[in-house]
Amino acid sequence: MKDAKCKKCGKPAVVKFRTYRISLCEACLPAFYESLVERSVKRHRILRENERVLVAVSGGKDSVALASTLKNLASKLNLSLEIIHINLGIGEYSEKSEEVVRKLAEMLEIPLQVEHLSDFGFTIPAVRMRKVCSACGTAKRYLMNRYARLHRFDVVATGHTCDDFAAFALKNIAGGNLEWLLKFQPRAEGFAEGVVTKVRPLFERTEEENLLYVKAKKLPFLADKCPFSPPKDEWKEIVREIERKKAGFMRNFVRGIAKIAAASGESVASVKYCKICGEIASSDVCAFCKLRLRSVVAESENEMQRQTKRKHAT
Ligand code: AMP
Ligand code: FES
Ligand code: ZN
């Protein structure tokens, strides 16, 4: 950044947004970033005027950036906002995450709802599965949709990034999987009764940009990784490697795929509702209730083993 000047005010620049070939100082960065998100939101009609938006915030940089930008957009589009944070019961990691989100909600003056997975009978560490992260995704999607539906929100907003979308697209193209295309939308309308519309206003923003923004705005965020997350995400590494060679690749790629996805039309999957809880399901019992039942069974088996051990010890 030696000798580079901020494109907006002429002071010494500290960062460069490579995709946009623009250098900025720390003071001018937040307004530029927010204008990019506003442009995405308007261009792709991600949010509409007067909507009630439930903002899902984990405490990581991406969803923290999302909450702050939506706060900025709220007055322009007359949006009403509430934050939802899901405490997954992952020990110190979940405690720290909740603390960060509480601080953020207070700073941004957005009402906050914290849902504890333990109130639904289990926690993520109690899920005895090889793919803990996919169980966690099921639980988060379920709780977000349930809360949004019960409280009549128009949309649930998540902080999915350009990196997430690009890696997801490439992985599925390589796997010859076409179903994923239908999910590839910055705004995915609720496709059935009880399914709330999902929006991803940061789908054109990279994780690097989100980090620059939250740091420049001095927003609280948690840099720690979840103890269950895999050590590396190879698909993300691949798309970032291409981005390093071709600035703007990720954004253009996700835009292109979103266009193809929109042209490919909506799926009319047959819809079922869970016999236990009534939420949307792909079979008689929804994935969340299956997880809950599994965890309850695993816990009672453990308890029986503990009792047997105690009996033998005495
Ligand atoms: P992930 O699936 O962890 O990549 O997260 C994607 C998005 O889901 C984040 O940007 C958040 O908007 C939302 N999210 C993830 N974890 C939580 C959580 N514990 N509470 C609320 N929202 C979350
Ligand atoms: Fe879900 Fe890590 S946050 S498994
Ligand atoms: Zn269910």
Side-chain angles (χ1 to χ4, degrees):
M1 289 311 310
K2 208 164 154 264
D3 300 332
K5 295 260 180 295
C6 172
K7 178 90 183 275
K8 301 280 173 191
C9 71
K11 288 188 185 146
V14 291
V15 291
K16 184 165 184 176
F17 273 53
R18 288 198 333 131
T19 309
Y20 298 89
R21 294 194 183 88
I22 181 172
S23 300
L24 293 165
C25 71
E26 203 166 55
C28 292
L29 189 151
F32 177 70
Y33 174 94
E34 285 165 1
S35 72
L36 291 179
V37 180
E38 186 172 348
R39 219 189 291 168
S40 293
V41 164
K42 291 186 172 157
R43 182 178 190 167
H44 302 281
R45 290 194 39 80
I46 298 175
L47 289 162
R48 318 228 160 116
E49 277 188 25
N50 307 319
E51 282 189 321
R52 290 193 68 221
V53 184
L54 182 64
V55 191
V57 181
S58 63
K61 62 183 185 325
D62 306 314
S63 50
V64 165
L66 171 75
S68 171
T69 0
L70 289 185
K71 176 74 188 184
N72 168 264
L73 263 180
S75 53
K76 298 181 186 170
L77 292 176
N78 197 29
L79 306 172
S80 79
L81 306 179
E82 182 172 330
I83 291 176
I84 183 168
H85 173 71
I86 298 162
N87 184 314
L88 300 154
I90 310 177
E92 200 189 340
Y93 172 75
S94 288
E95 296 316 310
K96 280 192 194 166
S97 305
E98 184 178 328
E99 208 178 297
V100 162
V101 181
R102 285 195 184 279
K103 217 191 254 177
L104 178 80
E106 207 180 302
M107 235 175 120
L108 298 177
E109 297 180 336
I110 303 177
L112 166 69
Q113 172 70 18
V114 177
E115 293 278 275
H116 286 87
L117 188 55
S118 56
D119 291 342
F120 293 80
F122 68 106
T123 60
I124 290 303
V127 174
R128 305 262 144 71
M129 268 171 72
R130 205 163 50 84
K131 290 189 173 170
V132 176
C133 287
S134 92
C136 177
T138 300
K140 288 191 285 203
R141 282 190 298 276
Y142 178 94
L143 293 176
M144 285 174 201
N145 189 71
R146 180 179 178 276
Y147 186 81
R149 180 177 60 74
L150 292 175
H151 297 272
R152 300 185 177 283
F153 282 88
D154 297 304
V155 299
V156 176
T158 55
H160 287 99
T161 63
C162 194
D163 310 42
D164 290 326
F165 272 84
F168 177 70
L170 200 62
K171 181 178 167 190
N172 282 288
I173 291 170
N177 179 7
L178 278 181
E179 264 172 42
W180 63 277
L181 252 185
L182 299 163
K183 295 186 196 154
F184 206 96
Q185 300 284 353
R187 180 181 175 107
E189 297 293 337
F191 55 89
E193 180 74 30
V195 181
V196 181
T197 296
K198 308 292 180 311
V199 298
R200 294 102 184 196
L202 303 188
F203 91 110
E204 293 182 313
R205 302 280 59 81
T206 65
E207 290 178 22
E208 192 184 5
E209 292 167 357
N210 297 343
L211 182 63
L212 290 172
Y213 172 73
V214 294
K215 282 190 171 168
K217 281 211 90 166
K218 303 198 173 18
L219 295 167
F221 72 98
L222 187 68
D224 303 10
K225 276 185 88 173
C226 162
F228 293 109
S229 64
K232 58 180 181 177
D233 183 333
E234 284 171 345
W235 289 105
K236 270 195 189 171
E237 283 177 14
I238 293 168
V239 290
R240 285 178 188 150
E241 188 58 39
I242 306 176
E243 176 73 30
R244 268 191 284 279
K245 297 208 162 107
K246 267 225 137 332
F249 159 76
M250 287 204 293
R251 189 204 51 192
N252 296 340
F253 184 52
V254 300
R255 270 189 192 163
I257 302 269
K259 240 189 224 172
I260 298 172
S264 74
E266 310 253 317
S267 74
V268 227
S270 70
V271 171
K272 288 189 176 183
Y273 292 91
C274 175
K275 283 190 174 151
I276 300 176
C277 72
E279 281 285 308
I280 186 111
S282 56
S283 57
D284 287 347
V285 175
C286 76
F288 183 80
C289 284
K290 281 183 191 158
L291 267 181
R292 204 148 47 111
L293 295 173
R294 264 180 83 120
S295 308
V296 171
V297 171
E299 190 41 48
S300 67
E301 278 174 3
N302 282 347
E303 183 51 31
M304 272 159 65
Q305 277 172 6
R306 281 195 290 270
Q307 281 181 7
T308 318
K309 267 189 199 158
R310 274 201 294 269
K311 239 185 227 165
H312 286 303
T314 51

